Amino acid sequence: MSVFSSLILVLVFAALAYAGGLAGSSRWFMGVILPYTAILVFLGGLSYRVLRWAKSPVPFHIPTTCGQQKSLPWLKWSWLENPQSKGGVLLRMALEVLLFRSLFRNSRAQFLDGPRLRYGEEKFLWLSALAFHWSLLIILIRHLRFFVSPVPRFVMGLEAVDGFFQVSAPQLLVTDVVILAALLFLLQRRLRNPQVRYISLFTDYFALFLLLGIAFSGVLMRYFFRVDLERVKEVALGLVTFSPTVPAGVGPLFFVHLTLVSLLLIYFPFSKLVHMGGIFLSPTRNLANDSRVKRHVNPWDYPVKVHTYAEWEEEFHDKIKAAGLPLERE
Amino acid sequence: MPGISPQTQQAISERWRAAIIQTYPGLTAEFLRQEKDPFRNPVGAALREGIPCLVAELFGAMDPGKVSQALEGIVRIRAIQDFSPKQAVGFVFELRDILRDVLRAPEAPLGELHKRIDEMALVAFDVFMRCREQVYEVRLSEARRAEGFRKRMVSRDAGG
Amino acid sequence: MSEALPKHEELVQIRYDVPRNGWRSAHVDFRKGTYSYSAAPKNVQYLGMANPRHWRPTDKDWKLPPDWKQIILRGMKERLEKFRSFRLFMDICVRCGACADKCHFYLGSADPKNMPVLRAELVRSVYRRYFTASGRLFRGLAGGRELTEDVLKEWFYYFYQCTECRRCSVFCPFGIDTAEVTMIVRELLNLVGVNTNWVLEPAANCFRTGNHLGVQPHGFKDSIDFAVDELEELTGIRVEAPINKKGAEILFVVPSADYFATPHYYTLLGYLALFHEIGLDYTFSAYASEGGNFGLFNSHELMKRLNNKIYAEAKRLGVKWILGGECGHMWRVLHQYMDTMNGPADFLEEPVSPVTGTRFENARSTKMVHICELTADLIHNGKLKLDPSHNDHWRVTFHDSCNPARGMGLLEEPRYILRNVVNHFFEMPENTIREQTFCCGSGAGLGTDENIEMRLRGGLPRANAVKYVRDKHGVNLLTCICAIDKATLPTLLEYWTPGVEVGGVHELVANALVMKGEKDRTTDLRGEPFPAKEAAVHA
């Protein structure tokens, strides 16, 4: 149910954008107003979310330790899985953010009998998640060519590497293929793995379809229904230099792409997609296991009602005495 | 019982295992079926181990020891899960339908097999009852372990 | 005959249906054996907590305060502001499902709501409905869910089916820790008086008398004296076991089960023998006679209230530092919470082993050392005379307790000790030990006897791995360093893997320990004859 409704919603958005692009009447809306709104909502919303997390205190020191602690000097300490210093934490976080280390752990299974069905599947979760996120990053960087003039060298270089297969004209870019494949894999996993399907919400599918729509419209523009790149660059440069212009003849497909991207940006801060910002702040990962070495302070600590020794001795005075234990007050 | 090939026996095992797995909530069923690591999937592993033994015995010697042991692995788990007694041991009767489906040839000795299925069901019931009793026994022995010390303390408190 | 058969592929083609209605309808059948009894009003009252009354989870009316919904929502708001963990874990889950099959309760019960992701979604859905813009606007479409009494009952059922073991958080790409969510939800439930007696009664007892059974000072002294007598019978040596002794160098804190329960008791005998042998200047305290902290299973505030006694007593007695016995949750609190809650312990000194001179730099702020750290250091420095053959009747495996493993990283110390005191040591499979260890299924206040069926479900993955080493290596003793393990695993193993007993690490240490001036020992601490001696007798 939520699969279809989210798919239809994305298709409706895409169709509206296409129609608007054809008609040409709502170009200003889609080419200027919507992108600016999207950027504002994205930046504002994301910083609000991240600031709110960052501002909320970490009262207790609760890292999850995944290896041997640093204790006696002759015991082999697992400095990466159980860091006791800032450097260790940074590296642990870096591996988490750049390589999704915990997700990879998932695929370490042993004593298997027969074919390794499940084992393989989970390695694919890690692999496709990694492929998706890295492709997305590279594609974003590649898009700098539209926003900066002249195009920076490293962007050209990156694109050259990305297109090393050189199999078609226009040059086939590896990330385009990878991101589509990864997204499709993640989607089919969500649909076919019953556990994951059971826990999936409308919003989970919506995000996937939106990303697929963006990737798909981008690929169509690049390889099949080419749009005028000079004009696209005019739009993009206009946006970043605050002198927006929407030249005629950009092609409706471009508006589909741009509108879906804008929608994604608007949706982003209100959704689980903010996990990007959250991982850096996760107290089970970003703290060193040094809670016995350094005192962690709880900013909202407050006094509590305790049962003091004096109260205890008073209540059990005679029994303590009879048992021959020392007393503070005879 | 002649003429039941290993492939057919395997097919019966697979179907039976599937039928048992179906007694779990849908999505869990898929996990129980797929996950092959016995330490990540103890319930699925118990079925994987027990069912082929039971099918082999069904077409073989019906060795009481082996039947009981194979059922033990499965029923011991079902005895403490969210099942009524009927659901916990009723899976044995699923075999009837499966045999009817799989052994379509008229010469299949269904009568004798059904008798064996009944026998298995009764053994499963025995195992189930034994396990349920044991749940109360272990509960009792836990209480006794705790009580032993409490008693000692109380008797000392009374004395002193 | 095979002619008439359908093809093999056709036969094994099986369709599985996923439940269509999803998980968002909240309804729980409280079935006997799967939940813990509610807290008795006297315990709620004694601790000064909300809404003391008689009620049962099976009742239709839980006698909640009329404004219970506002109380819960207010409590949620407050905790969202006070705990980054809570807000973050409500926000960033992407429902990738990596945690789904990591929970021992899911593996043992096959109940989908025991998947960590779904357990958290039970409260996340309410969070979205009341605390996010999209949820307030789009309700169900944005994954929101109304807070109803049925939802509250569902919380009670499932958040008392989490042992706060943190196994899921090891596998989560964002480190989302269900233990954290469980702790917060239990706090919320407490605001309207929904709690269990097996948490609150021990907590009330600890608060009043110092230990979870409510044994009073003279009873505590008696049980220690009794252990001293028994150790003398076994070894011929009369050890000292000082209580409330001012000016001792070290305060020794153990979980109170060590002196009230079997098989913990043998570990206590082990401590006593070891301390005598190395001439440790230490004292027990009858006031701070419980290290285990039942507050951890209830609320951060109660945790702090109970934990307070340890530093207070260390200060009163004027000791230099504190030593802690074998206990799981106790060490979660001591390692990750104590210094923050009741520190700084600036009246104590950085711990130094009086025997070897080793500085325990990893405890220089808390000033509290784990006994396995102390003993491993002793053995490494050759300070103990050990005869591992005394343990030859045991074929031993080691069960990592959740909290020392995932909330501390105490993995190698006990293993180092065991390798030095036993000859037959076998590890369970890799994905069931160390940071991937499976919980006993009875932690976090679930270890009560009325909850036995749920515990048996939760204990299945652990027992299954024990069964593997029992069948493969003939293992007959599972050692562990947790009082809850020692109390509950004998029960679970009796059902799942008969023939495997449970013991503590320091029980085996004392078995192997050759004490100066001991009589000719013929039995271990349990009174079982030493195998070597037995063989000699037979020869």
Side-chain angles (χ1 to χ4, degrees):
Chain A
M1 181 51 208
S2 37
V3 188
F4 290 111
S5 43
S6 53
L7 175 61
I8 288 167
L9 191 61
V10 173
L11 287 178
V12 166
F13 282 133
L16 283 175
Y18 192 84
L22 271 184
S25 52
S26 46
R27 284 181 176 195
W28 270 93
F29 175 72
M30 288 188 299
V32 180
I33 300 173
L34 192 59
Y36 275 131
T37 317
I39 287 289
L40 280 178
V41 172
F42 174 76
L43 290 178
L46 189 63
S47 24
Y48 173 72
R49 290 291 286 267
V50 172
L51 278 179
R52 202 166 56 161
W53 287 330
K55 257 177 42 196
S56 57
V58 180
F60 302 111
H61 199 89
I62 53 165
T64 304
T65 57
C66 300
Q68 170 62 29
Q69 65 169 349
K70 184 182 182 190
S71 56
L72 299 161
W74 47 271
L75 270 179
K76 196 161 172 274
W77 162 45
S78 175
W79 55 275
L80 182 62
E81 301 284 12
N82 193 343
Q84 210 196 73
S85 62
K86 282 258 162 19
V89 172
L90 280 179
L91 202 62
R92 188 187 194 196
M93 292 291 293
L95 286 177
E96 204 67 82
V97 173
L98 301 176
L99 295 176
F100 304 173
R101 199 144 186 276
S102 293
L103 211 51
F104 183 70
R105 202 192 300 276
N106 200 14
S107 53
R108 252 184 4 206
Q110 293 181 351
F111 295 93
L112 296 174
D113 63 55
R116 307 189 165 198
L117 244 177
R118 179 81 181 177
Y119 179 90
E121 211 256 79
E122 290 192 349
K123 202 158 225 157
F124 272 119
L125 168 63
W126 169 77
L127 198 66
S128 54
L130 204 61
F132 164 71
H133 285 93
W134 275 102
S135 303
L136 184 63
L137 181 68
I138 294 172
I139 290 172
L140 282 176
I141 296 174
R142 274 207 277 106
H143 275 65
L144 276 181
R145 71 183 332 236
F146 296 110
F147 295 98
V148 188
S149 188
V151 180
R153 275 195 115 101
F154 77 96
V155 175
M156 309 277 272
L158 192 66
E159 195 161 320
V161 174
D162 202 351
F164 76 99
F165 279 129
Q166 308 212 334
V167 285
S168 62
Q171 204 176 38
L172 178 73
L173 296 176
V174 178
T175 46
D176 288 345
V177 180
V178 171
I179 199 167
L180 275 176
L183 279 170
L184 285 171
F185 176 83
L186 290 172
L187 178 66
Q188 70 84 29
R189 176 176 179 273
R190 215 169 255 295
L191 290 170
R192 283 184 40 194
N193 181 325
Q195 291 171 95
V196 183
R197 179 166 183 172
Y198 191 63
I199 57 179
S200 294
L201 302 170
F202 172 85
T203 50
D204 297 319
Y205 296 112
F206 182 65
L208 272 175
F209 283 127
L210 208 50
L211 284 162
L212 268 171
I214 291 166
F216 197 60
S217 56
V219 164
L220 282 182
M221 264 193 293
R222 181 176 167 87
Y223 302 101
F224 300 101
F225 307 99
R226 306 213 58 188
V227 293
D228 190 336
L229 286 183
E230 284 310 310
R231 300 238 166 96
V232 169
K233 186 153 183 169
E234 261 177 62
V235 177
L237 274 176
L239 284 173
V240 289
T241 53
F242 297 105
S243 45
T245 134
V246 188
V250 189
L253 208 49
F254 169 72
F255 287 102
V256 174
H257 192 66
L258 185 64
T259 303
L260 291 184
V261 169
S262 303
L263 287 175
L264 181 73
L265 290 179
I266 291 172
Y267 177 62
F268 200 97
F270 301 100
S271 68
K272 68 165 188 180
L273 298 175
V274 290
H275 65 265
M276 178 189 89
I279 177 157
F280 293 97
L281 295 166
S282 188
T284 59
R285 289 286 187 275
N286 74 0
L287 293 170
N289 180 30
D290 60 357
S291 42
R292 274 194 291 159
V293 180
K294 269 193 294 231
R295 180 163 185 258
H296 177 97
V297 177
N298 174 1
W300 49 258
D301 194 25
Y302 58 94
V304 294
K305 188 178 176 317
V306 297
H307 193 64
T308 64
Y309 176 83
E311 288 165 329
W312 179 82
E313 187 179 294
E314 195 180 313
E315 180 173 356
F316 299 110
H317 184 275
D318 297 347
K319 287 169 177 165
I320 298 171
K321 196 167 179 180
L325 293 176
L327 285 159
E328 291 280 328
R329 296 148 54 100
E330 279 305 318
Chain B
M1 212 154 296
I4 309 296
S5 66
Q7 286 86 349
T8 311
Q9 292 199 20
Q10 198 201 337
I12 292 170
S13 296
E14 299 256 336
R15 286 207 157 195
W16 193 18
R17 192 162 64 92
I20 301 173
I21 279 174
Q22 291 277 35
T23 60
Y24 291 93
L27 73 159
T28 303
E30 185 67 8
F31 169 70
L32 295 179
R33 189 173 72 90
Q34 285 194 346
E35 176 59 65
K36 299 268 174 29
D37 181 341
F39 302 106
R40 284 171 82 165
N41 182 7
V43 177
L47 294 174
R48 210 177 279 278
E49 205 181 294
I51 294 293
C53 291
L54 287 173
V55 171
E57 290 305 314
L58 180 73
F59 297 111
M62 273 301 273
D63 179 293
K66 284 185 186 161
V67 169
S68 159
Q69 200 195 349
L71 280 167
E72 164 100 25
I74 300 166
V75 174
R76 180 165 289 275
I77 293 172
R78 295 176 75 81
I80 52 101
Q81 288 178 325
D82 252 337
F83 294 115
S84 69
K86 176 183 142 188
Q87 293 165 324
V89 298
F91 70 90
V92 176
F93 292 110
E94 301 276 351
L95 262 179
R96 290 178 180 233
D97 289 349
I98 294 168
L99 290 185
R100 197 177 309 128
D101 273 10
V102 175
L103 305 177
R104 286 180 198 157
E107 67 267 30
L110 283 179
E112 168 63 16
L113 287 174
H114 282 189
K115 229 188 273 170
R116 291 183 165 201
I117 293 171
D118 291 346
E119 173 67 20
M120 264 185 200
L122 290 172
V123 177
F125 191 69
D126 270 355
V127 174
F128 176 81
M129 284 312 294
R130 196 164 64 235
C131 291
R132 290 304 305 179
E133 272 167 30
Q134 226 185 341
V135 169
Y136 291 96
E137 273 164 24
V138 299
R139 195 175 158 178
L140 207 65
S141 48
E142 183 174 281
R144 269 200 217 104
R145 267 196 304 276
E147 207 50 36
F149 268 78
R150 218 179 297 207
K151 268 193 194 137
R152 205 181 81 211
M153 293 290 84
V154 169
S155 67
R156 295 194 144 217
D157 282 5
Chain C
M1 181 165 173
S2 59
E3 238 76 56
L5 289 176
K7 285 212 172 61
H8 179 69
E9 295 75 45
E10 190 187 325
L11 283 174
V12 296
Q13 277 280 315
I14 297 146
R15 278 196 52 241
Y16 291 92
D17 298 321
V18 175
R20 290 230 161 261
N21 51 350
W23 54 269
R24 274 187 269 174
S25 67
H27 177 73
V28 175
D29 271 325
F30 285 96
R31 194 184 128 142
K32 230 176 163 174
T34 65
Y35 63 90
S36 302
Y37 298 150
S38 50
K42 68 169 171 83
N43 296 319
V44 181
Q45 225 145 24
Y46 183 76
L47 290 166
M49 292 166 56
N51 200 12
R53 74 210 180 282
H54 287 285
W55 67 285
R56 280 179 313 192
T58 45
D59 292 345
K60 200 169 176 328
D61 178 11
W62 281 17
K63 301 180 197 160
L64 301 173
D67 57 341
W68 69 269
K69 198 168 155 179
Q70 281 72 40
I71 297 176
I72 296 273
L73 291 176
R74 256 202 317 275
M76 268 181 95
K77 183 169 187 293
E78 188 193 335
R79 280 158 188 80
L80 285 166
E81 279 154 16
K82 280 164 95 173
F83 293 89
R84 182 193 295 169
S85 54
F86 188 41
R87 184 177 286 281
L88 205 65
F89 296 165
M90 289 296 103
D91 276 335
I92 60 175
C93 175
V94 295
R95 289 170 291 283
C96 72
C99 61
D101 56 356
K102 303 303 179 288
C103 175
H104 50 286
F105 275 111
Y106 177 60
L107 297 184
S109 72
D111 180 343
K113 287 187 182 171
N114 273 323
M115 295 190 287
V117 48
L118 213 48
R119 196 190 307 283
E121 285 288 316
L122 298 180
V123 51
R124 219 176 260 135
S125 54
V126 172
Y127 164 74
R128 282 191 293 258
R129 162 67 185 82
Y130 294 94
F131 297 96
T132 68
S134 54
R136 274 192 291 247
L137 221 60
F138 298 109
R139 305 282 162 96
L141 206 56
R145 195 164 69 139
E146 295 291 324
L147 178 60
T148 63
E149 248 177 86
D150 278 337
V151 168
L152 195 81
K153 289 180 178 180
E154 194 184 49
W155 284 4
F156 174 73
Y157 188 63
Y158 287 105
F159 286 101
Y160 281 91
Q161 272 171 47
C162 167
T163 45
E164 303 179 0
C165 82
R166 312 185 98 198
R167 192 167 191 266
C168 48
S169 87
V170 169
F171 297 93
C172 174
F174 310 110
I176 295 175
D177 180 9
T178 309
E180 199 66 9
V181 180
T182 296
M183 285 163 75
I184 302 268
V185 174
R186 288 190 185 181
E187 279 195 25
L188 294 174
L189 291 172
N190 264 291
L191 297 177
V192 292
V194 173
N195 32 36
T196 71
N197 203 49
W198 181 238
V199 173
L200 282 203
E201 181 153 311
N205 283 337
C206 288
F207 194 70
R208 175 165 171 251
T209 62
N211 56 71
H212 83 270
L213 284 179
V215 172
Q216 300 182 1
H218 57 300
F220 172 72
K221 180 165 189 304
D222 274 357
S223 67
I224 299 287
D225 287 351
F226 189 84
V228 169
D229 289 348
E230 206 153 273
L231 192 64
E232 186 177 11
E233 270 170 43
L234 289 164
T235 63
I237 294 174
R238 182 134 193 108
V239 304
E240 290 241 1
I243 298 171
N244 290 10
K245 176 181 151 193
K246 281 197 172 177
E249 184 178 356
I250 293 163
L251 169 64
F252 183 47
V253 179
V254 297
S256 58
D258 281 3
Y259 46 88
F260 290 131
T262 345
H264 313 60
Y265 180 67
Y266 308 118
T267 302
L268 174 71
L269 296 181
Y271 304 144
L272 294 177
L274 176 72
F275 295 165
H276 171 84
E277 189 57 21
I278 59 172
L280 200 70
D281 177 19
Y282 75 102
T283 179
F284 284 100
S285 162
Y287 164 68
S289 52
E290 171 77 271
N293 193 317
F294 282 79
L296 175 66
F297 315 146
N298 180 273
S299 66
H300 289 90
E301 180 170 312
L302 191 56
M303 190 198 316
K304 182 175 171 179
R305 289 170 70 186
L306 297 181
N307 175 258
N308 176 271
K309 292 183 179 189
I310 297 179
Y311 275 153
E313 186 67 344
K315 194 169 188 178
R316 186 184 74 85
L317 294 174
V319 300
K320 287 185 183 160
W321 54 278
I322 313 170
L323 183 66
E326 297 182 5
C327 188
H329 295 87
M330 159 173 147
W331 270 99
R332 174 92 198 276
V333 176
L334 299 177
H335 184 74
Q336 297 199 323
Y337 292 97
M338 176 161 81
D339 207 358
T340 302
M341 288 182 159
N342 293 306
D346 41 17
F347 47 87
L348 297 173
E349 291 174 17
E350 186 178 326
V352 176
S353 169
V355 186
T356 65
T358 302
R359 304 186 84 77
F360 295 100
E361 286 178 13
N362 62 325
R364 65 172 170 264
S365 175
T366 348
K367 278 92 172 177
M368 186 141 185
V369 175
H370 194 289
I371 188 155
C372 284
E373 295 167 341
L374 180 85
T375 307
D377 177 64
L378 289 170
I379 295 175
H380 184 75
N381 285 291
K383 299 293 178 188
L384 301 181
K385 196 173 167 207
L386 298 166
D387 180 356
S389 74
H390 285 174
N391 284 314
D392 276 355
H393 53 313
W394 293 124
R395 297 175 73 79
V396 179
T397 191
F398 180 69
H399 159 68
D400 287 278
S401 309
C402 312
N403 287 287
R406 289 182 282 258
M408 191 175 178
L410 187 93
L411 307 174
E412 292 306 327
E413 290 87 346
R415 286 182 168 79
Y416 178 80
I417 297 172
L418 284 173
R419 289 206 185 87
N420 279 284
V421 301
V422 303
N423 285 321
H424 312 293
F425 177 68
F426 307 93
E427 291 279 18
M428 285 182 276
E430 200 59 43
N431 55 350
T432 70
I433 55 170
R434 294 201 167 86
E435 77 279 1
Q436 301 199 38
T437 187
F438 274 118
C439 181
C440 64
S442 304
L446 312 188
T448 170
D449 72 314
E450 71 260 19
N451 194 29
I452 186 77
E453 283 186 39
M454 196 50 76
R455 288 169 51 200
L456 284 168
R457 294 176 195 176
L460 172 58
R462 171 38 80 220
N464 187 48
V466 176
K467 181 164 174 278
Y468 175 79
V469 281
R470 182 197 67 181
D471 296 346
K472 187 163 180 207
H473 303 295
V475 162
N476 59 3
L477 182 74
L478 174 133
T479 51
C480 53
I481 47 170
C482 170
I484 293 179
D485 283 335
K486 287 173 196 157
T488 65
L489 278 173
T491 314
L492 303 186
L493 296 187
E494 188 181 337
Y495 183 82
W496 290 118
T497 54
V500 182
E501 296 194 37
V502 177
V505 168
H506 280 79
E507 175 189 345
L508 298 192
V509 169
N511 278 346
L513 189 67
V514 181
M515 297 173 74
K516 287 182 281 290
E518 67 179 5
K519 70 170 192 188
D520 188 22
R521 276 165 77 183
T522 52
T523 69
D524 68 6
L525 296 183
R526 299 187 180 198
E528 305 278 334
F530 281 146
K533 309 263 160 125
E534 197 180 25
V537 169
H538 285 304

